[in-house]
């Protein structure tokens, strides 16, 4: 008895109201914090360029009503002209915390005086004052950082990761991989059976091509593909190396004489990749991720290129939906790193959706 247009209109209004409500709630919180008489009171340790820059950033970007009480000097600091007011020397920080309310102390200084910094932080800790510590320049600035505690080891450890860390989202990705691979095997079953028969009839030898590839963090696994080349293809590779059309350690030529008649078709249509659904099902690969390289290719990687091995390799990825063989090797590597740095389930879904037209239109395949 309820019209479908009314249901659709109600769903749209509900979604819009939910989003608007959340935005308004956040704006109210920000407004309340900015109007608070007793704001967040901060002391900055370090009368230097870094301390002044940090103070300016806090003033411009923080939604809190911040009160920067002043700066505390470290040994050897002449004092930046904008580091005002100067509240004295770091050795008197404890008495400063006792004289007036302080919510947080920011240590915007390099670790040149570890004992002095340790005593200053201890003064904050015993008084329950929050501490924000500047990391040394040896610590990478990108990635996810967290404090790790190991039972039986009394010192906290700083955990640095450049790969996705959310266990829930990684579990969802694995569920997507397993379900997608299972459905893919069922749907593509007839095509895979027909391909196996065609390979067996037209060229003697095994239907599947098994090759050792490098997986996550260099773990080796056997990748499956439909065989698209003659049996002695690997032996003839050295003879054709001078025809390689890809830069870097990757070997590809458009009119490879080792490819069979059936192999040329299944490569153009990407049917040769379908057995990798079993690799995904067994957990060696993912639906979306960097393509698994040969161990011999990995040995030729530059150090920054090895980070593409920090996640599971994939059946499809940024490279496949962006032109494949038309992209040079270095740009390919940068695309994989961009995928790792910006990974999300939604990004995986978008790449999967873009893969379908890329396969149908055979863009960049050879």
């Amino acid at each position: 008895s309820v019209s479908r247009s009314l249901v659709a209109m109600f769903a749209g209004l509900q979604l819009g109201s939910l989003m608007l409500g959340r935005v308004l709630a956040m704006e109210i919180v920000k407004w309340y914090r900015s109007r608070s008489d007793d704001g967040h009171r901060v002391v900055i340790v370090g009368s230097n360029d870094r301390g002044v820059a940090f103070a300016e950033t806090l003033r411009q970007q923080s939604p809190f009503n911040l009160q920067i009480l002043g700066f505390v000097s470290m040994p050897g600091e002449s004092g930046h002209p904008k580091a005002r007011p100067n509240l004295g020397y770091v050795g008197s920080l404890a008495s400063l915390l006792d004289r007036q309310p302080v919510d947080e102390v920011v240590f915007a200084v390099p670790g040149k005086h570890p004992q002095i910094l340790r005593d200053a932080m201890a003064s904050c800790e015993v008084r329950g004052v929050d501490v924000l510590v500047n990391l040394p320049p040896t610590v990478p600035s990108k990635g996810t950082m967290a404090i790790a505690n190991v039972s039986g080891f009394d010192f906290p450890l700083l955990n640095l990761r450049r790969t996705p860390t959310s266990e829930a989202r990684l579990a969802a990705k694995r569920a997507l991989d397993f379900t997608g691979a299972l459905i893919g095997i069922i749907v593509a079953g007839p095509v895979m059976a027909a391909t196996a028969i065609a390979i067996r009839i037209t060229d003697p030898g095994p239907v599947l091509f098994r090759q050792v590839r490098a997986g996550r963090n260099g773990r080796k696994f056997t990748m499956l593909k439909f065989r698209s080349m003659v049996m002695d293809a690997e032996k003839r590779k050295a003879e054709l190396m001078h025809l390689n059309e890809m830069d870097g350690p990757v070997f590809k030529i458009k009119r490879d004489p080792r490819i069979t008649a059936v192999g040329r078709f299944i490569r153009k249509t990407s049917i040769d990749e379908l057995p990798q659904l079993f690799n995904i099902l067994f957990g060696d690969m993912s639906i979306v991720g960097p393509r698994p390289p040969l161990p011999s290719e990995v040995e030729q990687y530059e150090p920054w290129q090895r980070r593409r091995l920090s996640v599971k390799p994939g059946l499809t990825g940024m490279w496949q939906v962006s032109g494949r063989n038309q992209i040079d090797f270095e740009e390919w590597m940068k695309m994989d790193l961009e995928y790792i740095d910006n990974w999300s389930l939604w990004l995986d879904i978008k790449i999967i959706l873009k893969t379908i037209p890329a396969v149908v239109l055979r863009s960049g395949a050879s």
Side-chain angles (χ1 to χ4, degrees):
S1 60
V2 180
S3 68
R4 284 172 290 184
S5 59
L6 179 62
V7 174
M9 187 169 23
F10 178 75
L13 286 172
Q14 186 182 40
L15 178 62
S17 300
L18 180 64
M19 295 172 63
L20 181 61
R22 294 198 173 189
V23 171
L24 287 175
M26 291 302 299
E27 289 299 321
I28 291 171
V29 170
K30 288 168 65 176
W31 175 83
Y32 176 77
R33 286 175 172 175
S34 65
R35 301 273 297 181
S36 174
D37 293 331
D38 185 21
H40 193 70
R41 301 164 67 88
V42 179
V43 170
I44 297 178
V45 177
S47 301
N48 51 37
D49 293 341
R50 190 177 301 178
V52 171
F54 186 82
E56 290 297 325
T57 302
L58 286 182
R59 292 190 182 103
Q60 295 172 9
Q61 299 183 9
S62 177
F64 292 94
N65 179 19
L66 276 171
Q67 296 183 33
I68 298 177
L69 303 179
F71 297 79
V72 174
S73 299
M74 288 289 291
E77 286 185 337
S78 57
H80 195 283
K82 292 185 178 180
R84 296 289 182 270
N86 189 291
L87 303 177
Y89 176 64
V90 67
S92 61
L93 179 62
S95 60
L96 173 65
L97 298 179
D98 292 336
R99 289 197 309 269
Q100 58 179 309
V102 176
D103 297 308
E104 188 170 20
V105 175
V106 178
F107 289 85
V109 291
K112 293 182 179 179
H113 307 279
Q115 186 58 50
I116 294 175
L117 290 176
R118 190 179 299 114
D119 293 341
M121 290 180 194
S123 301
C124 298
E125 182 183 5
V126 298
R127 290 164 177 79
V129 177
D130 292 346
V131 169
L132 195 62
V133 182
N134 180 70
L135 293 174
T138 54
V139 177
S141 59
K142 295 183 179 179
T144 303
M145 301 185 188
I147 298 297
N149 291 289
V150 180
S151 299
F153 187 72
D154 295 333
F155 298 95
L157 303 171
L158 184 65
N159 178 257
L160 307 173
R161 298 187 67 176
R162 293 294 301 273
T163 55
T165 58
S166 171
E167 295 297 334
R169 292 195 299 159
L170 291 173
K173 180 177 174 68
R174 177 57 188 152
L176 176 66
D177 289 341
F178 186 87
T179 306
L182 195 60
I183 294 173
I185 290 169
I186 295 171
V187 172
V191 176
M192 295 170 73
T195 303
I197 294 170
I199 294 173
R200 178 69 72 179
I201 292 174
T202 58
D203 191 71
V207 169
L208 292 177
F209 174 66
R210 294 175 170 84
Q211 191 175 49
V212 175
R213 295 290 181 108
R216 186 173 69 88
N217 290 330
R219 291 174 173 83
K220 293 181 175 60
F221 72 99
T222 301
M223 191 184 76
L224 304 176
K225 295 180 74 171
F226 280 124
R227 185 171 62 85
S228 59
M229 292 187 174
V230 294
M231 289 297 297
D232 61 344
E234 286 300 310
K235 295 179 180 178
R236 294 172 59 184
K237 181 178 177 180
E239 304 171 8
L240 303 170
M241 192 61 72
H242 66 285
L243 300 174
N244 187 16
E245 298 171 359
M246 290 285 289
D247 58 344
V250 180
F251 177 79
K252 285 184 183 293
I253 53 177
K254 288 182 180 179
R255 294 176 177 81
D256 196 324
R258 302 172 300 166
I259 300 177
T260 63
V262 172
R264 196 166 300 281
F265 173 77
I266 63 176
R267 279 188 167 218
K268 267 290 186 184
T269 54
S270 298
I271 292 174
D272 64 322
E273 310 282 0
L274 289 178
Q276 289 163 47
L277 291 171
F278 290 99
N279 287 120
I280 297 170
L281 198 67
F282 300 148
D284 294 322
M285 292 177 60
S286 180
I287 293 177
V288 182
R291 286 298 292 161
L294 292 166
S296 59
E297 295 172 353
V298 174
E299 291 174 0
Q300 302 176 60
Y301 279 2
E302 295 180 22
W304 67 271
Q305 295 167 348
R306 293 186 67 91
R307 190 162 68 85
R308 72 186 296 268
L309 301 175
S310 61
V311 297
K312 277 186 183 180
L315 177 63
T316 185
M318 298 281 281
W319 177 63
Q320 280 80 356
V321 299
S322 303
R324 296 168 75 172
N325 298 334
Q326 300 168 5
I327 298 172
D328 63 43
F329 181 74
E330 185 166 331
E331 186 64 26
W332 174 8
M333 298 294 103
K334 289 179 179 178
M335 283 183 175
D336 286 342
L337 299 186
E338 180 185 350
Y339 165 78
I340 294 171
D341 290 336
N342 299 291
W343 175 81
S344 67
L345 285 174
W346 176 236
L347 179 59
D348 275 7
I349 292 171
K350 287 197 293 186
I351 291 175
I352 291 171
L353 294 176
K354 287 182 179 180
T355 299
I356 298 171
V359 171
V360 172
L361 298 175
R362 306 177 185 180
S363 58
S366 64

